[in-house]
């Protein structure tokens, strides 16, 4: 749907009051320096929730008759083309250029949902991971569970370990799995509440694929922090996030088998939490090499806008009007034998 000019003006006035000035000023300074001219476009989208888009990932375990034709009538189309390096047949996601949100489905114990609402860019780490049937997979920071659900649309892992340290978020993760995954498959899933920084020592070389969707400064939500004091505290603690992300990555690499691959992702534009963390891992770990994901970026270039000048093993989705996905940073690494 599109808002009338009158309603848009009313919504704009209301939403502008909710934007946290402390965070916006901080972002203004940092991202003008890091993104240059691209920041003004990104800023306009991030501060205008009425132009945000939502995508639907269909649940192959709970087919909904007529849903795809209904989506087509409302202007939705497949978000990912068949020309991608990795796109399993059961992986079906629909999006449209117009903003607006499809009705959410309520959690009902014992009943599977037909689709998952999300930012389409959050599926790029899953497609980059390229999970195959029978592989042992670790989702290190798994809540709220959207990427775990997406992984299970792609393949049937031998074992799937979903970890979430935070107690409240872990319960959210368990509810997501219950809402989307049938019992025979959910029996292959282990949900834990371990400190992700310790998993590598607890379970060394146990996984073929690892996803590290790291805790980060979530640019979209931080801009609408209701409490200025909380926002100030977040911005102060922001400097510590890259250290946590590095420790999680190092732990994930210990948990990865030689020959296995890892995908690191965040939903921030911050270079310190993205490229700098990956560069530090590459310079400090001799058994890690970058993996080229430029083919994935080229394959989805019609749907997503990317920051130019990134390395072949990374991509950064920049929100823009009509393609308001992201921010989403994705990087892929491979563990080689240290001998």
């Amino acid at each position: 749907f599109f808002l009338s000019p009158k309603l848009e003006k009313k919504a704009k006035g209301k939403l502008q009051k909710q934007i946290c000035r402390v965070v916006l000023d901080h972002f203004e300074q940092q991202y003008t320096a890091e993104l240059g001219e691209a920041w003004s476009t990104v800023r306009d989208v991030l501060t205008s929730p009425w132009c945000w888009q939502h995508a639907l990932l269909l649940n192959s375990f709970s087919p909904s008759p007529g849903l795809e034709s209904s989506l087509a009538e409302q202007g939705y189309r497949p978000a990912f083309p068949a020309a991608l390096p990795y796109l399993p047949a059961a992986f079906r996601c629909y999006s449209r250029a117009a903003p607006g949100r499809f009705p959410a489905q309520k959690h009902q114990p014992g009943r599977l949902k037909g689709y998952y609402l999300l930012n389409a860019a959050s599926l790029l780490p899953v497609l980059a991971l390229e999970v195959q049937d029978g592989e042992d997979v670790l989702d290190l920071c798994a809540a709220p569970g959207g990427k775990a659900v997406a992984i299970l649309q792609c393949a049937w892992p031998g074992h799937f370990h979903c970890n979430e340290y935070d107690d409240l978020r872990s319960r959210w993760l368990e509810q997501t799995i219950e809402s989307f995954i049938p019992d025979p498959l959910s029996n292959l899933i282990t949900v834990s509440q371990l400190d992700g920084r310790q998993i590598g020592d607890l379970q060394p070389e146990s996984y073929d694929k690892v996803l590290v969707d790291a805790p980060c400064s979530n640019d979209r939500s931080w801009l609408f922090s209701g409490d200025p004091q909380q926002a100030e505290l977040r911005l102060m603690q922001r400097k510590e996030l890259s250290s946590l992300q590095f420790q999680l990555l190092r732990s994930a690499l210990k948990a990865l088998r030689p020959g296995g691959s890892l995908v690191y992702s965040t939903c921030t534009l911050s270079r310190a939490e993205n490229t700098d963390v990956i560069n530090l891992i590459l310079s400090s770990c001799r058994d890690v090499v970058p993996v080229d994901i430029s083919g994935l970026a080229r394959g989805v270039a019609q749907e997503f806008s990317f920051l130019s000048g990134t390395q072949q093993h990374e991509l950064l989705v920049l929100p823009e009007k009509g393609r308001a996905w992201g921010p989403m940073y994705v990087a892929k690494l491979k563990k080689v034998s240290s001998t």
Side-chain angles (χ1 to χ4, degrees), residues 4-323:
S4 69
K6 186 177 180 181
L7 281 175
E8 183 171 328
K9 187 176 180 181
K10 184 178 179 183
K12 192 170 184 178
K14 186 178 179 183
L15 287 163
Q16 286 293 352
K17 291 177 187 174
Q18 297 174 354
I19 291 170
C20 185
R21 196 75 229 178
V22 174
V23 175
L24 183 57
D25 290 347
H26 182 88
F27 284 0
E28 194 79 49
Q29 185 174 356
Q30 179 183 352
Y31 294 148
T32 298
E34 293 184 8
L35 303 176
E37 293 180 2
W39 166 240
S40 61
T41 303
V42 172
R43 180 192 59 217
D44 289 348
V45 173
L46 290 181
T47 56
S48 309
W50 58 86
C51 74
W52 294 0
Q53 296 155 261
H54 296 86
L56 288 85
L57 176 68
L58 303 195
N59 185 10
S60 60
F61 305 113
S62 179
S64 302
L67 176 59
E68 288 180 87
S69 58
S70 173
L71 288 171
E73 288 170 8
Q74 296 178 58
Y76 285 85
R77 56 182 173 73
F80 298 97
L84 294 186
Y86 172 86
L87 190 70
F91 189 92
R92 290 171 298 155
C93 178
Y94 286 83
S95 67
R96 65 177 182 181
R101 189 180 181 117
F102 205 76
Q105 294 176 312
K106 290 184 179 179
H107 172 70
Q108 295 178 284
R111 186 170 180 179
L112 297 181
K113 293 184 180 182
Y115 54 85
Y116 192 101
L117 293 171
L118 40 63
N119 183 319
S122 66
L123 295 172
L124 294 176
V126 173
L127 294 176
L129 195 59
E130 301 188 32
V131 175
Q132 307 295 332
D133 288 346
E135 290 183 325
D136 295 323
V137 181
L138 169 63
D139 188 350
L140 191 69
C141 313
K147 292 180 179 65
V149 169
I151 285 170
L152 292 167
Q153 306 303 312
C154 296
W156 194 300
H159 175 230
F160 191 18
H161 181 181
C162 295
N163 182 70
E164 177 53 53
Y165 183 56
D166 181 83
D167 184 57
L168 184 63
R169 288 173 60 83
S170 182
R171 291 201 296 272
W172 190 1
L173 169 65
E174 289 180 331
Q175 183 174 293
T176 300
I177 291 170
E178 183 185 338
S179 291
F180 286 91
I181 310 304
D183 286 339
L185 188 52
S186 64
N187 292 337
L188 299 175
I189 303 170
T190 299
V191 177
S192 67
Q193 283 184 255
L194 300 168
D195 184 333
R197 294 169 292 185
Q198 299 173 358
I199 283 183
D201 291 325
L202 294 170
Q203 301 176 352
E205 299 190 354
S206 299
Y207 300 97
D208 302 296
K209 299 283 170 67
V210 179
L211 174 64
V212 183
D213 186 42
C216 66
S217 45
N218 185 323
D219 295 350
R220 280 190 185 233
S221 66
W222 280 27
L223 276 167
F224 293 89
S225 302
D227 183 350
Q229 287 185 317
Q230 183 191 43
E232 290 271 17
L233 183 62
R234 276 179 170 173
L235 291 172
M236 287 172 62
Q237 294 173 335
R238 193 179 195 208
K239 298 169 186 174
E240 301 166 16
L241 279 170
S242 58
S243 174
L244 171 63
Q245 291 155 348
F246 175 78
Q247 292 172 63
L248 289 170
L249 258 179
R250 194 166 54 181
S251 173
L253 287 166
K254 286 181 183 179
L256 195 62
R257 293 175 181 138
S261 53
L262 175 152
V263 167
Y264 173 78
S265 61
T266 74
C267 52
T268 181
L269 299 162
S270 176
R271 186 182 296 162
E273 299 176 51
N274 295 337
T275 298
D276 290 354
V277 173
I278 293 297
N279 286 345
L280 185 58
I281 281 287
L282 288 171
S283 63
S284 61
C285 301
R286 288 184 296 175
D287 57 349
V288 180
V289 295
V291 177
D292 186 352
I293 55 171
S294 59
L296 171 61
R298 284 194 300 272
V300 297
Q302 289 294 108
E303 185 72 31
F304 301 94
S305 175
F306 296 107
L307 177 67
S308 60
T310 56
Q311 299 296 306
Q312 290 186 324
H313 61 272
E314 61 179 354
L315 57 84
L316 178 61
V317 179
L318 300 179
E320 65 176 37
K321 284 187 178 177
R323 298 192 295 181

